[in-house]
Amino acid sequence: MQDPDFVLSLLAIPKAVPELRRTLSESPYGPHPDLQLCASELLSNVILHLGEGTPVKVRVTGGAGRIRLAVTDPDPRAWPLLRRAGRDDETGRGLALLDAVSLRWGVEQGADSKTVWCELGEP
């Protein structure tokens, strides 16, 4: 049976990160620490690379033992890159965390947006 979609539109601002974690923990997909971690990292990337106040859509779907998280923003050009952060770097570990806890992840480009997604196992 397919679980219902969870969709949330919000502005990418710092205070939205913990609010998103809390909202996801109270959703039909929560509590799921890896889902909350991945959502935090993807929203934080939007804030860092596109700027505060960027509108985003967060969608969570589930079924067949998997949960898919997708974060869509309005910039089809700024693609995330998995990189190896140096020991003293203060940023650059978010996608490495997402890569470590998810089953798989990727990016889909639209005409005027992009969606970064990941799939997780059910808790």
Side-chain angles (χ1 to χ4, degrees):
M1 179 172 147
Q2 183 79 9
D3 290 326
D5 286 2
F6 173 85
V7 180
L8 182 64
S9 295
L10 53 95
L11 295 178
I13 57 175
K15 77 174 190 171
V17 176
E19 290 173 3
L20 177 59
R21 283 194 305 266
R22 185 178 57 255
T23 299
L24 288 173
S25 74
E26 297 168 356
S27 79
Y29 297 97
H32 190 310
D34 290 345
L35 175 64
Q36 293 171 278
L37 172 69
C38 291
S40 293
E41 293 303 330
L42 293 178
L43 184 57
S44 295
N45 277 351
V46 173
I47 295 167
L48 180 64
H49 298 290
L50 299 182
E52 288 188 33
T54 301
V56 298
K57 182 179 285 187
V58 177
R59 178 182 298 270
V60 183
T61 56
R66 292 193 177 191
I67 297 172
R68 181 179 171 109
L69 166 68
V71 177
T72 302
D73 68 60
D75 189 342
R77 300 164 295 141
W79 279 54
L81 297 173
L82 181 59
R83 66 183 195 118
R84 184 177 212 108
R87 185 175 57 205
D88 296 329
D89 291 344
E90 293 186 19
T91 63
R93 292 174 181 81
L95 286 178
L97 285 169
L98 183 128
D99 188 60
V101 302
S102 67
L103 300 171
R104 63 187 191 129
W105 68 277
V107 184
E108 297 170 353
Q109 185 174 13
D112 58 355
S113 66
K114 77 169 165 308
T115 301
V116 183
W117 59 269
C118 65
E119 288 184 357
L120 302 162
E122 291 184 348

